[in-house]
Amino acid sequence: MLQKLFTFHGGVKPDSRKDASTCRPIRPLAMPAELVVPLHQSIGGTPRPLVRVGDRVLKGERIGAAEGPVSAAVHAPTSGTVKAVEERTMPHPSGLPASCVVIETDGEDRWIEREPVPWKSMKGDELRDFLRDAGIVGLGGATFPSHIKLRPATAPTHTLVLNGAECEPFITCDDMLMRERADEIVRGAGIMARMLAVERVLIGIEDNKPEAIAAMRAAVDGDIQVVAIPTLYPAGGEKQLLRVLTGVEVAAGRRPLDFGLQCFNVGTAYRVARAIDHAEPLISRIVTVAGNVEEPGNFEVLVGTPIDELLKAGRPRADTDRVLMGGPMMGFALPTTAAPVVKATNCVLAGSPSLLPPPPPEMACIRCGTCADHCPADLQPFELYWFGRSHNFGKAQEYHLFDCIECGCCSYVCPSHIPLVDYFRFTKSEIWARERERAAADIARERFEARNDRQEREKREKAERLAAKADATRKKLAETGAGDGAPPSPAEEAKKALIAAALERAKQQKSSVKARNTENLPADKQAEIDEIEARRARSERRTVEPPEPS
Amino acid sequence: MIAALLVMAGLALVLGAILGFAAVRFKVQGDPLVDKIDAILPQTQCGQCGFPGCRPYANAIADGEADINQCPPGGDEGVRKLADLLGREYKPLNEEHGVEKPKAVAMIDEQTCIGCTLCIQACPVDAIVGAAKQMHTVVEADCTGCELCVAPCPVDCITMEPLSETVQNWKWKYPTIPIGKAA
C-alpha cells in the first residue's frame, strides 16, 4: 500500500557511516566484575534505593522504586552482592557524580522468579504501574517513562508511530534490533496499540536500512504498516517523524497526544514486549560501538557496565583521543570512560583527530541565514545565537528557543563554524537555572508572608485574650463590690476599697495571732517575759527616735 | 455664545463624570511598581538591606527612600534589573550591606544542637523544624540562605554550606575557545 509522505523543513545529509557496525550480528558482552547502576536513569524523580550494602540481589530484582508521578524503577542487571550505594561518576557532560548501586557480580546470572503477565485481563492503571515498576523508559534518548505516554488522553489517540528512523550517523542499534528481533518489536507495538486504543500503527524507517525494512515487513500483519521514509537528518526527531508520516505539525508547546498521535522508539516497543511476555525489566539494551575501533558492532549490554569494558570489546585504535556517548551530531564527549552504560546510552563513539577533527576556530556570524534554511524546527538559529551570546535570555525564549531539539543541523552547515548548539545549550540551562531560582523565590515569599500573617494573628489573639481576661476580672470586682453593700462607685474606687479591706483583714489577723506557748505560765516566767518585752519596746523606741531630732 | 458655553460646560460635566466613574471602577489596588520590584528581589528575607524583608525594601525603593544597590543576595544582576525597571543609573553593590556570595543553605550540627528553638524563631521562612529540647533540622529545600539563624544559636552549631553542583542543576558553560590553540 502506498503511503503519502510529507516533508519537514530543513535537515541535512551527513555521511551516514553505518555499514561498519552492521556487518556483525548483535553480540553479548562478557559479564563485568562490577556493575554501577545509577538510580536516576529517567526523566523525573530519582528512585529511592531498596537495597543496602551487603544485600544479595538476583537478576531482575528491583533495586530502586519509582518516586513521584514521573519516574521509573531500576533493577539489578545480574545476580550478585550490593557492594556500595554511593555517588559515582555519571555518563553526563558534567562528569559529576550521582548516587548509584554498585553490584559485585557473582557470575551465576540467576534470575528472580518470574511469571508471565496476564496483561489482557489487567486494568489500564495496573498495566501502566507494571511497566513503571519494570523500569520501561523511552530508549530513543530522552528516557521519558513510557507508562505516562501510554495513558489514553481525553481526546482519542488514532495513530501510534514507532520510530525506527535512526537518522544519526554511526548509530545502528535500532537497525540491528529491527533486523534480528522484528517479531518482538511488532508484539510490543501491538500491546501499546491496545493500551492506547489506536486505529493504526505506523513504523517509520529511513530508506537507508533496506534489511531492517524487509525484516519488519515480514513480521507485521494487520493494522501495522512499515513505511520507508527518505533519509534526511533529523528524520528521527519525534516531531519531524510525525510530520513526515502523518503531515501533522505538532505545534510549539503542544504534545503529539494533543493531535491524536503517540510516538515510541522501536527499542521501547521491544522492551515492552520483553516485560510483558517474559516479565523481564529493562536491565540491558543494545549499544553501538563505532568510530575509531577495529571491530565496530552492536552489543547487548547490561545497564551499569563500565563504558571502558564495552569500548574494549570494540578494540579501539591507538589514536583514539576521546569517547562520545551518542552520535557525532547530538552526542557529547564523556569526561571519563569509567562511567556506566545507562538506559539512555545508544552509542559509544570513539573519536580520533582524523575521524572527528576538532572544529575549526569560530568566526563571526555573517548572517547568511544558512542555519535557518536547515533548521528542522523552523527556528532562526542566528537570532537565538545573538540573544544567547548577549545573555538576552528573555528574547531567546520569545524566539522559541525551547523548540530547539539540539539536532546540530545549524552547527553542521554554519560557514563560520560557530558551535551554535553549544550556545543554545548554555542559554537553555541558564534559563532553567533562573526559573528554578524564581520558583524558589516564590515559595520563599509565600512562606515569609504566611509567617508574618501567623505572627500578626498570634499577637492579635494574645491581646484579645488579655483584654477578655481583664474584662472578666473587672466584672467580677464590680459584682463583689455590690455584694458588700457599698454604694455603686467607679471600678477604681471598688478596687481601692477592696485593697483597704484586705489590709484591714491582714492587720486584724496579725493582732489576733498570739503565741500559743505563752498561756498558763508561772508568775516568774511571766515577769521575765514582761521585762524582755519592755526592754524590746524601749530599744525599739530608741532606734526609731534618734533620727528624728537630728 | 451662550450656546457654545453651555455645550462646552455640558461636555466637561459628562466627560468629568466618565473620568470619575472610571477612576472608581478601574481603581488599581496596591502599587504595581512595588510588585514589580518585589518580583526582582531574591526573597531571601535576610534583612541585609536594612529593611525587615524583601517587600519592605521594595516599598522603600518605590518611595525613593532606599537605593537599588542594597541587596547582596540579588547581586550585580539584581541591581541591573532594578536599574532597568526604574530607569535609574546602575551602581555597584553597596558593600556596607554585604557582598555577593554563592548560594548556601544552613546546616545544623545535630550532635551539638541543644533544642533552644532560637533559630526557629529567627527563620523568616519557617524552614527549621524542631521543638523545645528536641533536635532541630533545616528543611533544605525551603532554606533561603539568609543566615539569620546563625547569630542567635547559643552553641554555634549552625553553619552555612554552599550548594554543591549536581547532575540535575549543572549548567552548560558559555562556549569558549582555548586561547593557546586559536592563536
Side-chain angles (χ1 to χ4, degrees):
Chain A
M1 193 169 76
L2 271 179
Q3 163 101 15
K4 180 173 165 42
L5 291 180
F6 302 82
T7 55
F8 59 88
H9 178 262
V12 294
K13 282 188 178 173
D15 188 2
S16 71
R17 304 198 183 196
K18 287 175 189 266
D19 301 336
S21 55
T22 50
C23 54
R24 294 179 188 83
I26 298 172
R27 288 172 279 172
L29 197 68
M31 176 71 67
E34 181 187 279
L35 291 174
V36 181
V37 186
L39 284 166
H40 191 255
Q41 289 196 58
S42 68
I43 285 179
T46 303
R48 63 172 189 282
L50 297 174
V51 288
R52 276 190 222 167
V53 177
D55 283 0
R56 290 263 315 147
V57 287
L58 293 174
K59 183 171 186 161
E61 190 173 329
R62 202 145 55 104
I63 55 175
E67 188 85 348
V70 180
S71 185
V74 287
H75 301 78
T78 185
S79 58
T81 315
V82 176
K83 210 158 94 181
V85 181
E86 60 181 16
E87 303 238 305
R88 289 286 186 101
T89 311
M90 293 287 278
H92 188 265
S94 66
L96 287 169
S99 60
C100 297
V101 176
V102 184
I103 298 172
E104 195 174 4
T105 59
D106 59 9
E108 288 173 26
D109 208 24
R110 195 141 53 86
W111 270 100
I112 195 170
E113 239 171 77
R114 289 179 292 167
E115 278 172 22
V117 183
W119 68 280
K120 279 190 179 163
S121 61
M122 280 164 91
K123 280 197 210 94
D125 277 336
E126 277 176 350
L127 191 52
R128 279 188 287 278
D129 284 354
F130 170 78
L131 289 178
R132 181 194 65 199
D133 293 339
I136 306 294
V137 298
L139 294 179
T143 60
F144 190 82
S146 299
H147 66 278
I148 294 167
K149 281 171 78 179
L150 284 167
R151 190 177 299 146
T154 39
T157 311
H158 52 75
T159 305
L160 171 69
V161 171
L162 281 202
N163 188 343
E166 196 163 58
C167 54
E168 184 145 358
F170 288 104
I171 307 179
T172 56
C173 59
D174 292 347
D175 187 0
M176 293 310 291
L177 187 77
M178 287 187 287
R179 289 190 202 186
E180 296 187 13
R181 302 175 191 179
D183 288 335
E184 281 180 299
I185 296 172
V186 173
R187 165 98 178 131
I191 293 168
M192 293 199 283
R194 199 178 147 122
M195 285 179 81
L196 286 168
V198 296
E199 291 155 20
R200 60 172 183 165
V201 180
L202 300 177
I203 304 179
I205 307 173
E206 273 192 348
D207 56 13
N208 62 355
K209 302 184 224 343
E211 296 91 341
I213 294 171
M216 290 300 287
R217 285 218 166 116
V220 296
D221 56 357
D223 300 332
I224 303 181
Q225 205 181 332
V226 177
V227 187
I229 58 168
T231 300
L232 179 66
Y233 181 85
E238 184 182 60
K239 289 187 174 183
Q240 285 69 33
L241 183 68
L242 291 175
R243 168 86 187 152
V244 169
L245 287 176
T246 65
V248 173
E249 193 167 317
V250 178
R254 306 282 295 277
R255 295 166 308 155
L257 214 55
D258 300 335
F259 299 86
L261 305 168
Q262 194 55 289
C263 183
F264 289 94
N265 184 268
V266 286
T268 316
Y270 169 71
R271 276 291 150 194
V272 168
R274 294 297 297 179
I276 300 278
D277 291 342
H278 304 274
E280 185 183 305
L282 208 173
I283 52 169
S284 69
R285 64 159 297 150
I286 316 290
V287 183
T288 306
V289 178
N292 196 37
V293 290
E294 296 288 352
E295 263 183 57
N298 284 279
F299 294 88
E300 171 112 39
V301 189
L302 294 178
V303 167
T305 305
I307 287 173
D308 263 340
E309 303 214 4
L310 173 62
L311 197 63
K312 253 184 247 157
R315 296 205 288 127
R317 295 196 182 105
D319 61 341
T320 299
D321 63 344
R322 66 208 145 115
V323 179
L324 271 65
M325 186 171 123
M329 300 292 281
M330 293 184 72
F332 58 88
L334 283 166
T336 164
T337 51
V341 167
V342 290
K343 293 176 185 178
T345 313
N346 51 2
C347 176
V348 172
L349 185 65
S352 71
S354 57
L355 182 70
L356 300 171
E362 176 183 338
M363 290 184 286
C365 172
I366 53 170
R367 293 208 179 230
C368 61
T370 314
C371 49
D373 287 342
H374 289 86
C375 180
D378 285 293
L379 299 174
Q380 297 187 348
F382 59 94
E383 293 280 14
L384 294 172
Y385 159 70
W386 286 110
F387 296 139
R389 238 185 101 125
S390 56
H391 294 217
N392 195 347
F393 302 125
K395 205 77 178 156
Q397 256 177 304
E398 261 176 54
Y399 276 65
H400 302 286
L401 173 69
F402 284 97
D403 285 342
C404 167
I405 56 169
E406 299 176 23
C407 63
C409 288
C410 49
S411 312
Y412 182 80
V413 298
C414 179
S416 291
H417 315 297
I418 301 171
L420 289 151
V421 176
D422 290 357
Y423 281 97
F424 303 155
R425 283 173 172 165
F426 156 75
T427 314
K428 280 183 184 179
S429 57
E430 283 295 326
I431 292 171
W432 280 323
R434 273 169 180 68
E435 267 169 20
R436 274 198 300 272
E437 266 169 35
R438 178 70 28 234
D442 285 344
I443 291 172
R445 183 186 295 118
E446 220 169 82
R447 294 181 71 89
F448 179 61
E449 279 167 8
R451 176 177 180 267
N452 284 353
D453 286 350
R454 194 192 65 227
Q455 283 181 334
E456 288 280 294
R457 197 186 64 230
E458 275 170 1
K459 211 190 269 176
R460 204 177 53 233
E461 279 172 0
K462 196 174 172 190
E464 276 168 10
R465 218 168 38 236
L466 286 178
K469 213 171 166 189
D471 262 354
T473 328
R474 242 173 253 137
K475 214 176 264 171
K476 212 165 143 197
L477 281 179
E479 273 169 19
T480 48
D484 279 354
S489 56
E492 235 169 89
E493 234 166 274
K495 213 183 216 170
K496 263 184 199 162
L498 206 75
I499 292 168
L503 281 174
E504 193 59 38
R505 265 204 310 280
K507 222 185 229 170
Q508 265 173 20
Q509 223 164 17
K510 207 173 169 187
S511 61
S512 68
V513 171
K514 232 172 128 190
R516 303 285 294 275
N517 59 354
T518 54
E519 286 162 15
N520 307 324
L521 284 175
D524 56 330
K525 282 274 173 215
Q526 188 62 52
E528 210 176 321
I529 289 169
D530 285 346
E531 197 189 328
I532 290 167
E533 286 291 331
R535 205 163 55 230
R536 181 184 287 152
R538 266 204 310 281
S539 77
E540 270 178 7
R541 215 174 304 131
R542 223 178 294 141
T543 48
V544 173
E545 277 166 6
E548 282 177 336
S550 66
Chain B
M1 177 69 187
I2 296 280
L5 276 176
L6 282 177
V7 166
M8 292 311 285
L11 264 176
L13 274 176
V14 171
L15 291 175
I18 291 173
L19 274 178
F21 171 73
V24 176
R25 176 73 180 75
F26 303 110
K27 188 172 166 54
V28 179
Q29 294 294 332
D31 190 346
L33 184 62
V34 173
D35 283 336
K36 278 185 198 163
I37 297 171
D38 197 38
I40 291 173
L41 297 177
Q43 304 303 321
T44 322
Q45 319 294 358
C46 61
Q48 288 182 76
C49 50
F51 295 89
C54 295
R55 185 93 198 168
Y57 179 44
N59 275 323
I61 295 177
D63 295 345
E65 288 164 12
D67 218 331
I68 55 172
N69 60 349
Q70 301 183 1
C71 177
D76 206 49
E77 200 183 323
V79 180
R80 278 184 201 284
K81 278 188 188 164
L82 286 174
D84 261 1
L85 174 72
L86 301 166
R88 292 198 205 166
E89 200 66 34
Y90 162 80
K91 47 179 95 173
L93 209 60
N94 189 345
E95 289 197 359
E96 269 175 36
H97 296 276
V99 285
E100 196 176 345
K101 281 185 258 185
K103 189 167 162 20
V105 290
M107 199 76 102
I108 292 178
D109 176 9
E110 293 167 354
Q111 297 297 315
T112 322
C113 174
I114 53 168
C116 67
T117 75
L118 287 177
C119 58
I120 295 183
Q121 292 160 38
C123 181
V125 290
D126 287 334
I128 303 179
V129 284
K133 294 186 183 165
Q134 307 286 321
M135 182 193 75
H136 302 347
T137 195
V138 178
V139 182
E140 200 183 307
D142 290 329
C143 177
T144 63
C146 66
E147 302 186 10
L148 289 179
C149 53
V150 177
C153 180
V155 290
D156 285 339
C157 71
I158 305 180
T159 48
M160 298 306 293
E161 302 284 334
L163 278 184
S164 59
E165 208 172 32
T166 64
V167 172
Q168 268 80 44
N169 67 16
W170 177 80
K171 295 194 281 187
W172 283 90
K173 303 294 172 284
Y174 187 81
T176 49
I177 307 165
I179 287 172
K181 282 182 187 163

